[in-house]
Amino acid sequence: MERMRYILTILTIFIGEFFWKNHVEKNIPEGGSKKVLHDTVILTKYHNRGAALNTGEKRPEIVKWISLVLTAAAAVLFLGSFGLAGRGMLKTGLSFLLGGAFSNTYDRLKRGYVVDYFRFNVPVKRIRNLIFNVSDFCIIIGALFTVFDEWG
């Protein structure tokens, strides 16, 4: 039963992002923007052909393969974590990481790019111009949980 909670976390992230990214693809024009949440978030559709901060955008095939290999490695670690007693933070972290990784890797394989769709309306232009998706945050949160588990 404990395993199911972690698997459901992965599925919830993946399925939620699947539907949200499809909604963005159909309803927001490329480069179009709309302020939401009291103007604190700006919905902006962006097709990211690279990795974080467009790293490798000129080599999308390499980015795709790296994404596949890292996602597979995380999946192996996740499955291996079931053999460990306790370690809820590790399992939760890997669940978040995998939900986001599966979503972004799926995009790379199916669409040829990752759909990013929101940015924060903050005064610092450099930060305001960064465009994310929920999967990005799930990967970051998952990685942090995984590291914190190893530290403590």
Side-chain angles (χ1 to χ4, degrees), residues 75-124:
V76 168
L77 288 172
F78 175 71
L79 293 173
S81 75
F82 288 145
L84 303 173
R87 306 291 296 268
M89 188 174 288
L90 173 66
K91 294 171 187 172
T92 299
L94 289 171
S95 299
F96 272 77
L97 194 149
L98 277 175
F102 284 149
S103 176
N104 284 348
T105 300
Y106 173 84
D107 274 7
R108 285 187 182 97
L109 296 174
K110 180 77 172 164
R111 304 177 202 266
Y113 53 82
V114 173
V115 178
D116 289 332
Y117 52 84
F118 74 89
R119 53 196 173 102
F120 297 104
N121 192 16
V122 296
V124 181

Side-chain angles (χ1 to χ4, degrees), residues 8 41 45 62 70 79 89 101 111 121-124 127 142 145:
L8 285 174
V41 173
K45 179 168 68 174
I62 292 173
L70 292 176
L79 293 173
M89 188 174 288
R111 304 177 202 266
N121 192 16
V122 296
V124 181
I127 295 172
F145 273 41

Side-chain angles (χ1 to χ4, degrees), residues 39-56:
D39 295 344
T40 58
V41 173
I42 304 170
L43 294 180
T44 304
K45 179 168 68 174
Y46 179 72
H47 294 162
N48 184 350
R49 299 188 189 287
L53 303 174
N54 292 325
T55 305

